[in-house]
């Protein structure tokens, strides 16, 4: 209890937390492209050979695209929930660091699934990583709602929003399970899941209620 | 319609959109240099061998230079159009994310054309990527003008600015077509195109009218 | 003396020092993941082979995890001590640059220990680098307390805080020494050390005293 | 003339120019460490072999150190001269982009000289790149003084500061010339040159005059 109490202390500026987080988000989305390596050609001038090699890169383009969209979606929702907080404390900063650790990990499963799009374990791991990232996001969100929410916004929150948010990890895990039957089904589920969260839930709730 | 309406909601801070975008721009321009790999020398101390190897890198220096200038030009114009907006909504954030996805992709065709400067497909793809990036930029610009423009600036906008902006993608596509005849012609067109946009159009228009 | 006096001059904005530092922190934590390279598989579709290869990566995951947590801890404490300063001068900026140099070096020993987790020198070097980083941090902290502290915060500082902070480097060096007996003991010590600093000391002191 | 006039237009926010520049600086200094590659060991557990391999990396550590210090010095002086400007226009933004292009290029000669510290061309090129970077910096500085200086600071400027600043490029070029006689002399000159600029000139002038 005393240990946990320590994390409730501290009055940090949200601006530096945002700057650090934006830096991590920006680097993660930009590093993703480094996996798109220039193919080695035997005949440097051959259009046919290059076209063939670029077509071989298709799974990497696809995994890059999905990861880019998902990280942007996390950025947008992160932006939203930090707007709910009146300040930052140590618990928040550490949960945020764990969340960013999950984000910075994304290039690895993205590269893995781009390299081995037919490997059931690789495709499954891709979904599990996104499920864990969404859970880390929901933990951060729940912490803000419980300890740091601006008083004027507290009443407008949907009390079930965190619980409803679990549909995200559930959907990614469904995709991860589907990978063992058909990897294409997994890709479809991974591609569709972020659409549920394409605009933050709260704002939709606020707009419906307003 | 209801789907589209969702994107018009949200009142996001432009500062975080700018911080995220500036991060992506800064990383893209800096990553470009990673393609300039230190050549392997047989005789480590040989000046002649190193000079020869550096001369071989010339196409990579050239593609690095062109991409750097073009991304800086996008940054400047991005800075300009965000200054027109009074706030950000979800539609804006997602268009901005798509635009940044295009920017973060630039290191790949840059590396491709630097590696295979005589390959017509590589040189052509370079121009097509810049054409798509300019179209994504114009989509963002058109969205801001239609939905988010500061009231005091609305009257001063050139009503044909977005249409006139299409000269950019047209020029890049012209270069992409020219690559199939002579790759050097394509490089000249790619190098000249950003000069049309070296200062944002609106400011020029404003200065002319004022 | 005149030389040292030069460093006491200058009235720099802390915001740009923070922006530069946050950029370095964000890149360091995100670059760490680049060491997690996609393994080469003989049978691309083989789940067993990929599972085996990922298990082989375990030391790299572990070193990535430890370094990520430690850099986040440095970020949090850096945020804290910059909040104590009323402005920046040249001495502060150069000490900060040396500190960031230490931070930006962290990916190298992290990669080294991830590659050779059984090599006593690699494991030992990992701890020595963190000891040096903590000393650089304490030098920055001591400089702020001596020259730049906000008058209203000066009285609330624990006069022994810098001295107490030496427990960090001492603990890392203990781990570095332990590596020569048993590398596993070193990893345990490295993993436990940041827990001492998980919330900045001053705030704890302030909370106790308040 | 009309062309040049276009660049004097525009009223951009310095904050985004700073954010973009700080991002580039932060990435450049952090990317430098990527050249420190983990050596390949035959016997993974051998302390002697690793110690030997790390000693072989010494030129890379040295070039990393010099480049890190020099980029930090550029950052500090860049921070200083942007503080002199009341706003940004297109000419300033483009000169700043060219300057950042020079900064982002630094990892390449750093890697080159780290790989081939005995190659006279590599060592010479290292100095030439820093000379060009300093000239780009001085161009930016001269532009600010001529077109953008805050009225209250104009009178306090040393009228010869830009001219005096040429000692920097001259010193780097001296080192580049010395490389053809003895590469060690060149490294000494490169290491000493940034010490002349370790605190911005203007502030020293201001302090002397005040």
């Amino acid at each position: 209890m005393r240990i946990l109490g320590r994390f409730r202390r501290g009055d940090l500026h949200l601006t530096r937390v945002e700057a650090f987080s934006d830096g991590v988000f920006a680097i993660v989305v930009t590093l993703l492209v480094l996996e798109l390596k220039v193919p080695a050609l035997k005949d440097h001038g051959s259009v046919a050979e290059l076209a063939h090699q670029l077509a071989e890169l298709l799974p990497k383009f696809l995994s890059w695209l999905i990861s880019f969209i998902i990280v942007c979606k996390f950025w947008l929702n992160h932006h939203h929930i930090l707007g709910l907080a009146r300040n930052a404390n140590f618990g928040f900063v550490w949960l945020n660091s764990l969340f960013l650790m999950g984000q910075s990990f994304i290039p690895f499963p993205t590269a893995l699934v781009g390299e081995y799009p037919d490997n059931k374990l690789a495709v499954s791991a891709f979904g599990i990583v996104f499920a864990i990232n969404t859970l880390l996001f929901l933990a951060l969100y729940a912490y803000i709602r419980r300890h740091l929410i601006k008083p004027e916004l507290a009443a407008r929150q949907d009390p079930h929003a965190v619980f409803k948010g679990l549909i995200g990890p559930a959907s990614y895990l469904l995709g991860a399970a589907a990978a063992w039957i058909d990897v294409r089904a997994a890709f479809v589920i991974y591609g569709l899941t972020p659409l549920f969260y394409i605009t933050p839930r709260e704002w939709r709730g606020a707009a419906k209620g307003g």
Side-chain angles (χ1 to χ4, degrees), chain A:
Chain A
M1 280 298 114
R2 276 191 63 205
I3 284 285
L4 284 174
R6 261 168 66 179
F7 288 103
R8 304 241 178 90
R9 297 197 197 118
D11 184 9
L12 295 101
H13 297 289
L14 277 167
T15 47
R16 272 201 76 179
V17 179
E18 287 176 353
F20 180 54
S21 307
D22 282 341
V24 172
F25 281 120
I27 299 155
V28 168
V29 294
T30 320
L31 285 186
L32 289 171
V33 88
L34 292 187
E35 279 310 312
L36 300 175
K37 300 242 168 61
V38 171
L41 300 185
K42 278 170 208 156
D43 175 2
H44 284 201
S46 166
V47 167
E49 193 184 351
L50 180 56
H52 177 74
Q53 293 285 344
L54 290 179
E56 291 278 303
L57 282 175
L58 212 66
K60 294 200 176 191
F61 285 114
L62 187 67
S63 65
W64 169 73
L65 194 81
I66 293 178
S67 293
F68 198 100
I69 296 290
I70 290 178
V71 176
C72 283
K73 188 213 68 173
F74 275 117
W75 174 82
L76 175 57
N77 282 281
H78 187 263
H79 178 152
H80 171 57
I81 66 170
L82 261 66
L84 303 175
R86 56 178 192 273
N87 71 326
N89 64 12
F90 297 140
F92 167 80
V93 166
W94 278 111
L95 279 176
N96 193 56
S97 293
L98 287 177
F99 168 69
L100 294 176
M101 186 156 70
Q103 294 292 305
S104 80
F105 188 67
I106 287 173
F108 179 70
T110 304
L112 199 66
V113 85
E115 188 73 32
Y116 306 120
D118 295 325
N119 191 302
K120 286 167 181 171
L121 180 57
V123 179
S124 189
F126 193 60
I128 290 168
V129 167
F130 285 125
I132 292 170
N133 270 283
T134 314
L135 287 172
L136 289 169
F137 173 79
L138 290 170
L140 186 65
Y141 180 34
Y143 190 88
I144 290 173
R145 286 171 59 110
R146 188 151 180 188
H147 297 294
L148 300 170
I149 198 154
K150 288 172 185 160
E152 67 272 25
L153 295 178
R156 288 168 57 193
Q157 301 300 305
D158 174 358
H160 306 300
V162 175
F163 182 76
K164 285 180 191 167
L166 292 172
I167 197 172
S171 180
Y172 285 125
L173 289 177
L174 183 73
W180 297 94
I181 301 160
D182 189 331
V183 290
R184 287 166 302 181
F187 280 112
V188 170
I189 294 171
Y190 297 157
L192 292 177
T193 305
L195 299 179
F196 287 111
Y197 287 93
I198 209 158
T199 58
R201 293 194 65 82
E202 295 299 296
W203 268 313
R204 278 191 279 160
K208 268 184 218 156

